Amino acid sequence: MKKKNYIDPEKLASMVDKQEDIAEFLPKKLGKKPIDVYNEKKAAFQLNNEIVRRSIDFNRKMYAALDEISKNLNISTSAVIKMALQDYLMRYSVYLKKTGKSHHDE
């Protein structure tokens, strides 16, 4: 049985402070270094969440209602709009699954 790499905690802390590689002292089951996992997740998020900008017109009454909700929740009006749209899309997705339809059928 192979002996685990051991390092004095103070030496390990010193290596971290100096931004030295400490991978050999981490459990092997972690596989990748945390920064590699972070970068992969960040890249996947950016790929799947590319921002598309659109201009939307609201009548005054609708915008006033959205603005009131945003003030009550202490968030931006655009966040309220995004939340409402996400809620609608989730409900629509459930409807499509229940009815066996696809968004192309309609």
Side-chain angles (χ1 to χ4, degrees):
M1 190 162 155
K2 188 175 178 182
K3 185 177 176 184
K4 291 183 180 179
N5 290 341
Y6 175 80
I7 184 169
D8 178 69
E10 290 180 19
K11 179 160 174 55
L12 183 64
S14 173
M15 290 176 72
V16 170
D17 290 341
K18 295 176 187 173
Q19 297 182 347
E20 295 176 5
D21 186 9
I22 60 166
E24 68 181 278
F25 304 107
L26 298 175
K28 298 301 180 204
K29 65 182 175 185
L30 290 178
K32 299 176 182 178
K33 295 178 187 176
I35 192 67
D36 294 334
V37 172
Y38 170 79
N39 286 335
E40 287 174 7
K41 287 183 178 179
K42 182 178 174 186
F45 178 81
Q46 288 173 337
L47 178 65
N48 295 323
N49 291 295
E50 181 180 335
I51 302 297
V52 177
R53 299 208 181 269
R54 295 292 180 255
S55 176
I56 303 174
D57 298 326
F58 297 99
N59 65 38
R60 288 186 192 276
K61 187 175 180 179
M62 183 183 290
Y63 190 81
L66 291 167
D67 194 43
E68 182 67 26
I69 293 169
S70 72
K71 287 177 183 171
N72 287 336
L73 296 175
N74 198 27
I75 59 176
S76 68
T77 305
S78 63
V80 171
I81 294 165
K82 290 174 189 177
M83 287 173 27
L85 287 171
Q86 183 62 38
D87 180 62
Y88 171 80
L89 292 171
M90 287 173 33
R91 290 172 187 259
Y92 187 67
S93 176
V94 168
Y95 161 77
L96 292 176
K97 286 178 184 174
K98 283 184 179 179
T99 60
K101 297 180 180 182
S102 74
H103 65 278
H104 299 292
D105 294 342
E106 304 205 3

